[in-house]
Amino acid sequence: MEFYMQVALIIVLFVFGPTTIFSSSSVSSNGLSEIPFKLLDFAQKPQVFDWMVGIRRKIHENPELGYEEFETSELVRAELDKLGIDYKYPIAVTGVVGFIGTRKPPFVAIRADMDALAMQEMVEWEHKSKVPGKMHACGHDAHVAMLLGAAKILKEHEQDLQGTVVLLFQPAEEGGAGAKKMIDGGALENVNAIFGLHVANHVPIAEVASRPGPFFAGSGFFEATISGKGGHAAIPQHAIDPILAASNVIVSLQHLVSREADPLDSQVVTVGKFQGGDAFNVIPDSVRIGGTFRAFTRESLMQLQQRIKEVIMGQASVQRCSATVNFLEDEKPLSPPTINHKDLQEHFQNVAGDMLGIHRVKDHQPLMGSEDFAYYQEAIPGYFFLLGMADDKLGPLHMPHSPHFQINEDALPFGAALHASLAIRYLLELQQEVPLPAQEYHDEL
């Protein structure tokens, strides 16, 4: 009788006991290659998928701007509490940093941004933004849902982690340098490497795209006030026309790229704001202009910044006007270029290739958009990639920052599984390459 009871117990444990997707005993090359596919299978389970979709829709309905993500942060912390994941809060006002694994080295981070944009949503659907003038038009609601999905996967198999995964839920990516404040708050303490992603409307579903080296441009912003002397439009000789001066400034700024920049060093200077005058027959006292500049090296950014100021001041003076220039460094700090660490390129390709097939891991040309993930990459090795969500069945998807922007929620399991796989494989491979000796680290977890 005792024998049969033992057999029954073994059967019950086998059928209903916890399953291990990976373990230290399966860290052969074959075992490593199976991890991403198995984690994707887990993320695509209906209960996990529906859970991520629900989170994403809650966040979408209640968008919050940079450093105002209090409800989003509360939702994140509530889900981490349910999963039994330790975290630090607050960091960078609303940021959350979670920890899964041994709480010992090595440490690898995965990141999601949480902030929305100041724009009115034009998409009519059940979960449309409930906050007038605010919208998740850049996919950050999906980013948070996918990082929580990765957290769920990792926590499910925490006993097998060969180190610690750090979860960064970051505020204020949209021009607020939230990543920099996260770093200042200690978010990268002990961390060896970091991975991040962004949904992409132009990359097909179940595909990813990236490149080693410069991927997104660095960016800065500027405003200038050009002051002259107002007067009647019929007698301009008695006025000093700031509109004429501002017009010359704008034309001259374009020469910074066409005549001063190396043609092989891509740069952009765009004036997107011109405000001056309220009447057809009045020359105003002053004009305000504003714009952005982009480049793929910090050196080029600094050179553009210097020359923008010189051109504005000089051209204003030529037209007998005065000018002040503000680079908005308190509100919109200079964002460095996003440069993917070359040593992490092979790791990304291997993990994504094992999950999706190497033919679905695409090279992507550099982009002039900016991404504050770059601050992390200035501090430690980092890798950033695009997650596809285009699907012919849905028709064309609008670009980010459009009031018609939509998320293909079928992409959520891919993002969650890639986050988790990149972190897990990084820890396992690092242990294989160099068995870590006892070392000092700050145990503040």
Side-chain angles (χ1 to χ4, degrees):
M1 186 69 175
E2 183 179 347
F3 169 76
Y4 289 109
M5 290 178 67
Q6 289 176 343
V7 171
L9 179 60
I10 291 170
I11 292 172
V12 169
L13 287 172
F14 180 78
V15 175
F16 298 103
T19 57
T20 300
I21 284 182
F22 60 93
S23 68
S24 55
S25 62
S26 67
V27 189
S28 63
S29 59
N30 187 50
L32 285 173
S33 65
E34 291 175 354
I35 291 171
F37 183 78
K38 290 181 177 179
L39 295 186
L40 177 60
D41 184 62
F42 181 92
Q44 289 178 323
K45 289 182 177 181
Q47 61 269 34
V48 179
F49 174 73
D50 291 344
W51 175 73
M52 285 191 288
V53 167
I55 289 171
R56 182 254 154 175
R57 291 178 177 181
K58 285 179 186 176
I59 297 171
H60 189 87
E61 288 179 352
N62 297 283
E64 297 171 296
L65 304 182
Y67 300 117
E68 300 174 2
E69 310 94 334
F70 295 103
E71 289 187 20
T72 304
S73 179
E74 184 178 358
L75 182 151
V76 167
R77 300 194 311 275
E79 294 299 334
L80 294 179
D81 285 335
K82 292 175 189 175
L83 293 170
I85 294 172
D86 296 334
Y87 57 83
K88 290 181 180 179
Y89 170 84
I91 294 180
V93 185
T94 58
V96 182
V97 178
F99 305 93
I100 308 175
T102 64
R103 311 307 197 264
K104 298 183 184 299
F107 290 77
V108 62
I110 45 181
R111 168 266 204 175
D113 36 17
M114 301 189 293
D115 54 324
L117 289 161
M119 60 195 310
Q120 183 66 40
E121 180 168 6
M122 302 299 289
V123 182
E124 296 298 333
W125 68 305
E126 183 182 356
H127 300 283
K128 181 179 179 178
S129 169
K130 296 178 179 178
V131 184
K134 297 179 185 178
M135 176 192 177
H136 271 290
C138 200
H140 297 187
D141 50 345
H143 297 170
V144 174
M146 289 186 285
L147 188 55
L148 283 171
K152 189 178 186 71
I153 296 169
L154 293 164
K155 185 63 180 181
E156 191 79 13
H157 308 283
E158 185 174 28
Q159 71 277 9
D160 296 311
L161 287 175
Q162 303 294 304
T164 305
V165 180
V166 182
L167 312 169
L168 303 188
F169 295 91
Q170 176 208 309
E173 187 276 331
E174 298 288 356
K180 186 176 186 300
K181 288 195 176 183
M182 290 286 282
I183 295 168
D184 293 342
L188 294 185
E189 191 86 34
N190 305 315
V191 176
N192 301 88
I194 185 169
F195 297 92
L197 62 78
H198 201 294
V199 290
N201 68 303
H202 64 288
V203 178
I205 188 80
E207 290 189 9
V208 291
S210 192
R211 70 187 308 276
F215 191 17
F216 286 78
S219 68
F221 298 89
F222 65 93
E223 280 187 337
T225 300
I226 299 170
S227 301
K229 178 183 175 183
H232 198 291
I235 45 175
Q237 69 273 24
H238 296 308
I240 300 175
D241 191 347
I243 289 182
L244 178 62
S247 300
N248 278 288
V249 164
I250 292 170
V251 172
S252 296
L253 286 175
Q254 300 311 305
H255 298 162
L256 298 182
V257 174
S258 67
R259 285 296 172 264
E260 295 186 19
D262 183 339
L264 300 180
D265 178 15
S266 299
Q267 299 178 24
V268 167
V269 177
T270 295
V271 176
K273 180 168 70 173
F274 192 121
Q275 299 171 337
D278 297 306
F280 294 110
N281 60 346
V282 176
I283 295 171
D285 284 319
S286 65
V287 169
R288 292 181 66 195
I289 64 171
T292 184
F293 53 103
R294 311 285 170 112
F296 283 103
T297 68
R298 185 173 275 280
E299 293 74 20
S300 294
L301 277 176
M302 299 306 295
Q303 173 68 11
L304 277 177
Q305 187 179 64
Q306 178 184 334
R307 290 292 291 132
I308 286 169
K309 183 174 183 178
E310 291 172 354
V311 166
I312 292 173
M313 302 291 285
Q315 283 295 327
S317 177
V318 167
Q319 301 297 328
R320 300 180 298 150
C321 290
S322 62
T324 59
V325 184
N326 181 4
F327 289 100
L328 309 171
E329 291 178 355
D330 291 334
E331 307 160 46
K332 296 178 179 292
L334 196 71
S335 178
T338 303
I339 301 176
N340 281 335
H341 199 279
K342 294 181 180 179
D343 291 346
L344 297 177
Q345 167 75 4
E346 184 179 359
H347 175 73
F348 167 73
Q349 287 187 317
N350 289 341
V351 171
D354 288 340
M355 180 183 295
L356 308 171
I358 195 63
H359 62 290
R360 292 193 174 98
V361 182
K362 301 298 178 66
D363 291 329
H364 201 290
Q365 66 182 9
L367 296 167
M368 294 309 297
S370 64
E371 165 59 60
D372 88 345
F373 186 83
Y375 286 107
Y376 301 121
Q377 293 173 314
E378 285 197 322
I380 61 173
Y383 199 90
F384 195 78
F385 64 96
L386 299 178
L387 176 72
M389 60 176 188
D391 191 333
D392 291 339
K393 293 181 292 186
L394 300 178
L397 295 173
H398 287 269
M399 291 283 289
H401 293 221
S402 162
H404 300 281
F405 180 79
Q406 292 177 281
I407 291 289
N408 179 358
E409 293 174 333
D410 288 340
L412 299 183
F414 293 101
L418 279 164
H419 266 317
S421 300
L422 286 164
I424 290 166
R425 285 267 294 261
Y426 180 85
L427 295 177
L428 290 171
E429 290 169 8
L430 196 63
Q431 292 278 21
Q432 279 185 311
E433 291 172 8
V434 183
L436 290 170
Q439 63 182 59
E440 289 186 14
Y441 71 99
H442 299 286
D443 188 7
E444 300 174 351
L445 310 188

